[in-house]
Amino acid sequence: MNANTQSLQTILGEYLRERGLHNVAHRVRVPEVWLEVVGENAAKHCHDIEFTAPILSVRVDSPVWRSELRLRKHDLVRRINERLEPGLVADIILR
């Protein structure tokens, strides 16, 4: 790869931003990243994952897992933002 080569992710991000579709892409990508960062066991209990910037809303079917995820909420926000875009997710609502 030379200095003039850009990653496909960078090119696609610019393309979507120029056409006003950047937020649409995040609505799809944030729930995918959520499932990656919470881990396989917790992900089994997460449903109806919706992102409406800057809030991620997740229904958790177990009170125990809901409590666990609440304890990890700030770390999860940080990890999602690191993978996608700084400041994209401001809060997570666990219901």
Side-chain angles (χ1 to χ4, degrees), residues 6-7 11 17 30-33 40-41 43 45 50 54 63 70 74 80 93:
Q6 293 180 322
S7 73
I11 294 168
R17 213 174 346 273
V30 168
E32 291 172 357
V33 171
E40 185 177 334
N41 290 330
H45 298 279
E50 298 176 0
R70 276 195 182 113
H74 295 292
I80 292 169
I93 296 174

Side-chain angles (χ1 to χ4, degrees), residues 1-8 10-11:
M1 224 188 252
N2 64 37
N4 293 328
T5 305
Q6 293 180 322
S7 73
L8 180 58
T10 301
I11 294 168

Side-chain angles (χ1 to χ4, degrees), residues 19-58:
R19 283 150 185 82
L21 300 173
H22 194 59
N23 288 335
V24 174
H26 285 313
R27 286 185 65 122
V28 173
R29 192 74 181 109
V30 168
E32 291 172 357
V33 171
W34 165 261
L35 294 174
E36 293 169 11
V37 300
V38 297
E40 185 177 334
N41 290 330
K44 293 176 186 175
H45 298 279
C46 297
H47 311 282
D48 302 329
I49 304 163
E50 298 176 0
F51 178 66
T52 304
I55 306 297
L56 175 61
S57 176
V58 182

